[in-house]
Amino acid sequence: MLESFLVTSRETLEASLIVGIVLAYLNRTNNQNYRKTVYYGIAFGILASIISAVIFTFFAGGFEGKAEEIFEGTTMLIGAVLLTTMILWMMQQRHISKEIEGKVERHLMSTQPLFSHVGIFMIIFIAIIREGVETVIFLNAINYASGINFIGGTLGIVAAIIVGYLFFVSTRKINLKKLFNVSSVLLILFAAGLVAHGFHEFEEAGTVSGIISPLFDVNHILNEKGIFGSFLKGLFGYNGNPSLLEAIAYVSYLAIIFVLYRRIESSRVRVSG
């Protein structure tokens, strides 16, 4: 449940923040006549996301046996990559409001009102469809790894919309940096689990060797199918009897993320210095 909540809340929050920034800027600059354009962008973005979910589900349902395991493993790895790029991108964004407002301002400066409407529509539409498609991939990856929890996913969407709304009506008193930092740590561990589980699917399909399988077995202490074990499996990719390849994949992913994080922090220090 928590993994579904984290994914949907993080993705929805990013989209809702962009929408909120655009609406707030339009209000501040007395351009309320573009509000309908924003709403159209939201509606078409959601519709396009639903269509992408249907298409993905249709293609996913056509695989069986070895092909299904390879498809599931590939989906998990793609989900991990998208999660990683999303997290690293957010770590580097210190002036997201100025960036979005700058785009809106450039579109409003067009001498043709139609171009202004199209430009603002595309800002919203792309933000919604991007997060929507990523959510589709993430939730399918979760489903293959441990099963989707629709209650957790729905609560994540609702919570993100509420936070996004409060962020703007409360003069931005919500500390989004801390919120993103905490969720980023959990999502990084979740992505590491997806990477390990993706390689596990490839092992099951016989396309790669586990090297040593299992590397160890602690299911008699903490069974991955038990209540707590299932929770750890869904959120952090816990496996009571992993292969050496899975362990290497998990640790290597975390090591790469740590190196990239240190580089981002170093660049911040150089810029501020």
Side-chain angles (χ1 to χ4, degrees):
M1 178 174 176
L2 184 56
E3 64 272 22
S4 298
F5 177 89
L6 276 173
V7 167
T8 57
S9 62
R10 182 63 178 259
E11 292 295 315
T12 305
L13 180 56
E14 290 184 32
S16 63
L17 286 177
I18 292 175
V19 171
I21 290 169
V22 173
L23 288 174
Y25 184 79
L26 293 176
N27 286 337
R28 194 167 67 248
T29 57
N30 294 318
N31 284 291
Q32 288 89 345
N33 55 310
Y34 289 93
R35 290 175 67 91
K36 284 187 177 180
T37 302
V38 173
Y39 299 144
Y40 284 133
I42 295 172
F44 279 94
I46 293 174
L47 178 61
S49 298
I50 294 173
I51 293 173
S52 70
V54 172
I55 294 174
F56 190 97
T57 303
F58 174 78
F59 280 105
F63 295 101
E64 294 181 354
K66 181 177 179 179
E68 182 181 9
E69 292 169 339
I70 294 175
F71 178 79
E72 291 180 1
T74 302
T75 300
M76 292 177 192
L77 293 183
I78 292 174
V81 170
L82 291 176
L83 270 175
T84 304
T85 55
M86 174 190 73
I87 293 167
L88 295 177
W89 180 79
M90 286 304 299
M91 286 180 179
Q92 299 177 70
Q93 300 307 307
R94 291 177 295 173
H95 306 292
I96 186 172
S97 294
K98 292 182 179 179
E99 180 183 343
I100 300 300
E101 289 175 357
K103 290 182 180 179
V104 175
E105 183 179 8
R106 286 193 293 273
H107 289 305
L108 291 176
M109 290 174 64
S110 173
T111 56
Q112 296 293 329
L114 176 61
F115 293 158
S116 297
H117 281 283
V118 171
I120 292 174
F121 172 87
M122 291 307 297
I123 290 175
I124 301 301
F125 176 79
I126 291 174
I128 300 294
I129 185 64
R130 181 186 65 210
E131 307 302 339
V133 170
E134 288 181 358
T135 301
V136 170
I137 295 175
F138 296 154
L139 290 180
N140 274 277
I142 292 173
N143 186 42
Y144 298 145
S146 58
I148 295 176
N149 187 293
F150 287 100
I151 295 178
T154 302
L155 289 176
I157 293 173
V158 173
I161 292 174
I162 292 174
V163 171
Y165 175 76
L166 293 177
F167 179 69
F168 288 96
V169 300
S170 62
T171 62
R172 307 186 184 188
K173 292 180 181 179
I174 296 177
N175 192 327
L176 288 178
K177 183 179 179 181
K178 289 184 178 180
L179 183 64
F180 277 129
N181 285 344
V182 173
S183 62
S184 291
V185 171
L186 293 176
L187 286 173
I188 286 171
L189 293 174
F190 170 63
L194 284 182
V195 171
H197 207 105
F199 278 101
H200 173 78
E201 291 298 321
F202 291 145
E203 287 179 45
E204 292 289 316
T207 57
V208 297
S209 170
I211 306 175
I212 300 176
S213 185
L215 178 61
F216 55 79
D217 190 342
V218 294
N219 276 320
H220 61 286
I221 301 175
L222 180 59
N223 196 308
E224 63 188 57
K225 295 182 180 179
I227 296 177
F228 189 57
S230 297
F231 171 78
L232 293 178
K233 179 180 179 180
L235 187 57
F236 302 127
Y238 169 74
N239 187 351
N241 56 344
S243 67
L244 177 58
L245 178 63
E246 290 176 68
I248 291 174
Y250 194 96
V251 174
S252 297
Y253 173 83
L254 292 179
I256 291 171
I257 290 296
F258 178 75
V259 171
L260 293 175
Y261 171 75
R262 291 295 299 270
R263 287 184 178 180
I264 292 173
E265 287 299 306
S266 297
S267 63
R268 283 182 175 178
V269 171
R270 287 196 298 269
V271 171
S272 60

